[in-house]
Amino acid sequence: MSFRKIDIDAYDEDVLLDDELCEPDPRDPAQVLSDAKQKQAAVRSTLARGDIPGALGIALDSTPYGSNVEEAKNLTLQTVVSILNSTKSSEINSVVKALSQDAQDTLMKYLYKGMGMPGWGDVSGSVLLGWHEKLTEVAGTGCIVRVMTDRRSV
């Protein structure tokens, strides 16, 4: 059974690393975190006005990606999940329809990331699945395919 503990990629010259799959976020990690905090504040004020599509648009605009910005990525996930949790299920269709195709794809990425983190923060599986259902109805299965083939992880 000890052979299963060997990292064969260490011996392969042609190994493909995650950092090589896509260009890293060109912004400085401190700047990315600062932007995420500013977006979180903007989302809170937009949600206080009751503008859920606007808040989701702010949160999904220029999201952080790459391996050196984990804190900003988690903060953005928290922001997106707070928007999803504060939306009534009857409003989801209209909110999703108001998003651009790129924003719909980014939202799908965050849904999958939230589903992959059970018990994290205030992530509710039923809320994420409800959003997934409505997003798939509006954006189609092409949205899922685009997310699965995009190499930039959120």
Side-chain angles (χ1 to χ4, degrees):
M1 291 297 251
S2 64
F3 69 92
R4 294 180 189 262
K5 296 179 183 177
I6 296 173
D7 180 15
I8 61 169
D9 288 335
Y11 303 106
D12 188 7
E13 295 174 3
D14 296 328
V15 67
L16 188 62
L17 302 173
D18 289 340
D19 294 341
E20 297 170 347
L21 291 175
C22 67
E23 293 293 319
D25 198 324
R27 302 173 288 178
D28 179 55
Q31 178 64 38
V32 174
L33 182 59
S34 172
D35 291 348
K37 288 179 180 178
Q38 289 174 355
K39 274 201 257 184
Q40 188 179 40
V43 163
R44 282 189 191 132
S45 66
T46 307
L47 278 178
R49 293 192 311 259
D51 183 12
I52 293 171
L56 200 53
I58 292 169
L60 298 176
D61 184 43
S62 67
T63 56
Y65 61 91
S67 60
N68 58 346
V69 290
E70 291 303 319
E71 190 176 352
K73 288 163 60 171
N74 286 334
L75 186 62
T76 305
L77 176 62
Q78 277 181 328
T79 304
V80 170
V81 167
S82 69
I83 297 167
L84 302 182
N85 284 337
S86 65
T87 307
K88 296 176 187 171
S89 59
S90 60
E91 298 174 343
I92 295 175
N93 258 348
S94 61
V95 171
V96 170
K97 287 178 183 176
L99 298 174
S100 68
Q101 182 179 358
D102 287 339
Q104 290 173 347
D105 292 350
T106 305
L107 176 58
M108 186 66 81
K109 287 181 186 181
Y110 278 106
L111 292 175
Y112 285 138
K113 183 168 184 165
M115 287 179 202
M117 303 175 83
W120 180 82
D122 57 353
V123 175
S124 169
S126 61
V127 170
L128 296 177
L129 287 173
W131 273 88
H132 185 273
E133 175 189 10
K134 301 295 184 186
L135 182 55
T136 305
E137 284 176 11
V138 172
T141 56
C143 179
I144 297 171
V145 172
R146 286 187 299 275
V147 167
M148 293 297 174
T149 57
D150 190 0
R151 296 179 179 194
R152 290 175 295 164
S153 65
V154 293

